[in-house]
Amino acid sequence: QVLRALAILAVVGYHFLPEIAPNGYLGVDIFFVISGFLITGLLIREFENTGTIVFKNFFARRAKRLLPAAFLTILVSLLVSFLIAPKSWWSQTWNEALASIFYVQNWLLLGKEVDYLQQDAAISPFQHFWSLSVEEQFYFIWPLLMLASLLVWKSKNSPIIAISVLGVASFAWFVLDDSAGAFFNTFGRIWEFAFGALVALTLRNFKGNSSIAILGWALMLAAIYLPLGNTSVTLIAVLGASLALKGGVGALNPGNALSFSVAGFRPFVWIGDLSYSLYRWHWPVLKIIPWFLDRPTEFSDLWLITG
């Protein structure tokens, strides 16, 4: 949860006050690593316990946890946009709302060649659903591939081979694709989930320690502030997140150190618990407030996303 807290603070900081987190968008990449780690751990444990993966149950759990909250965000954003946004934006807003509902927002933005790093050109209250779309698409691909690899090769190492091959191909796509919409391409993002998946699959064979975790956190923080190209800082952040997850439970692990309790309240764990809500709501607030108040969004407007 503390790692999630770092990721969401980086993203929100980048969107509301870019100078405090110049590469804060990397929080999304950190989220992808965490997601690959968590979902792979759940899947491999289910297979070891039952000999299979029940896709119906897997997708039902995902839908129950994510869809109601996501649909509420989309509905509120859509209604408010229709009430206060210029009519010239209604058609675009509706189309992007539909794309977000069906988790294909990233492909819509890619087709329009939207440049994520040019924030002034991004006015849709649904643009942030691109990452949730990529995540759900990975959740559809990976369970099928994992089960197929386990049943065909009948080896406990088969998922490692499968996700490694997929990850290498995805990383090559990420490096070589220089199109305007490459930022949103699922095929160029799978390697980030693959790093997390590999951590989960190899966790038992390698005992981490606090030194590894400290290195991981240092890399993530450096990536957020280094004046390097997107490819370089993304790789550094993903490596850092992987090492942070691999670092174990030592007292010096920054994740454990930051989970301290003050009078029963653990602030960074609390932020991590709220990370999904904060991510869903911060972007509509950022984009709708200027229409509503007839002024640019200010840092003080952050309180609006804590509800």
Side-chain angles (χ1 to χ4, degrees):
Q1 292 301 73
V2 175
L3 192 55
R4 279 180 168 146
L6 169 66
I8 191 60
L9 289 174
V11 171
V12 173
Y14 174 72
H15 287 154
F16 274 83
L17 202 64
E19 54 266 31
I20 69 171
N23 300 325
Y25 63 88
L26 295 172
V28 171
D29 304 272
I30 294 171
F31 273 123
F32 286 166
V33 177
I34 297 171
S35 295
F37 172 78
L38 292 175
I39 207 66
T40 301
L42 290 172
L43 291 170
I44 200 65
R45 284 192 294 274
E46 179 179 353
F47 184 83
E48 290 174 347
N49 292 333
T50 66
T52 190
I53 296 172
V54 182
F55 297 113
K56 181 177 71 172
N57 295 342
F58 170 77
F59 291 118
R61 289 193 300 268
R62 297 293 307 167
K64 183 178 180 181
R65 190 172 77 85
L66 299 179
L67 292 186
F71 288 169
L72 176 62
T73 303
I74 294 169
L75 178 61
V76 171
S77 300
L78 189 63
L79 291 175
V80 173
S81 296
F82 281 175
L83 286 173
I84 64 176
K87 289 186 178 181
S88 58
W89 295 111
W90 285 7
S91 177
Q92 174 183 324
T93 301
W94 174 252
N95 290 336
E96 295 203 14
L98 287 178
S100 299
I101 288 173
F102 292 102
Y103 288 100
V104 293
Q105 173 73 343
N106 63 311
W107 296 116
L108 177 64
L109 296 173
L110 188 152
K112 293 163 64 176
E113 296 189 339
V114 171
D115 188 343
Y116 175 87
L117 300 180
Q118 296 296 321
Q119 293 193 65
D120 291 340
I123 58 173
S124 166
F126 302 108
Q127 179 170 299
H128 64 314
F129 269 85
W130 79 268
S131 64
L132 300 178
S133 299
V134 169
E135 190 172 53
E136 290 306 311
Q137 290 159 27
F138 175 77
Y139 287 158
F140 181 78
I141 296 170
W142 179 222
L144 296 171
L145 181 60
M146 176 186 281
L147 183 60
S149 68
L150 286 164
L151 295 178
V152 172
W153 293 325
K154 301 185 185 302
S155 168
K156 64 180 181 180
N157 293 323
S158 57
I160 297 176
I161 298 171
I163 197 63
S164 296
V165 171
L166 188 61
V168 168
S170 172
F171 183 71
W173 192 304
F174 170 75
V175 172
L176 298 175
D177 187 0
D178 60 355
S179 62
F183 194 93
F184 303 107
N185 197 317
T186 301
F187 300 121
R189 292 290 180 176
I190 288 177
W191 67 276
E192 299 172 346
F193 296 95
F195 265 85
L198 286 171
V199 172
L201 292 169
T202 61
L203 200 58
R204 300 172 186 173
N205 303 324
F206 181 85
K207 188 175 181 179
N209 57 59
S210 294
S211 298
I212 293 174
I214 291 171
L215 175 59
W217 279 79
L219 288 174
M220 287 186 292
L221 291 171
I224 291 171
Y225 292 97
L226 282 173
L228 300 175
N230 176 60
T231 299
S232 299
V233 293
T234 301
L235 180 57
I236 293 171
V238 168
L239 286 172
S242 303
L243 292 174
L245 288 170
K246 199 75 169 177
V249 294
L252 296 178
N253 184 327
N256 296 320
L258 292 172
S259 66
F260 62 87
S261 175
V262 178
F265 175 61
R266 297 189 294 170
F268 287 97
V269 174
W270 177 72
I271 293 172
D273 290 338
L274 290 177
S275 59
Y276 180 50
S277 296
L278 291 172
Y279 186 78
R280 290 193 338 268
W281 288 107
H282 86 282
W283 186 258
V285 167
L286 181 69
K287 291 303 168 185
I288 290 174
I289 282 296
W291 290 333
F292 188 71
L293 299 180
D294 196 26
R295 64 165 174 80
T297 306
E298 298 175 355
F299 192 70
S300 59
D301 296 323
L302 273 172
W303 71 270
L304 291 169
I305 68 174
T306 60

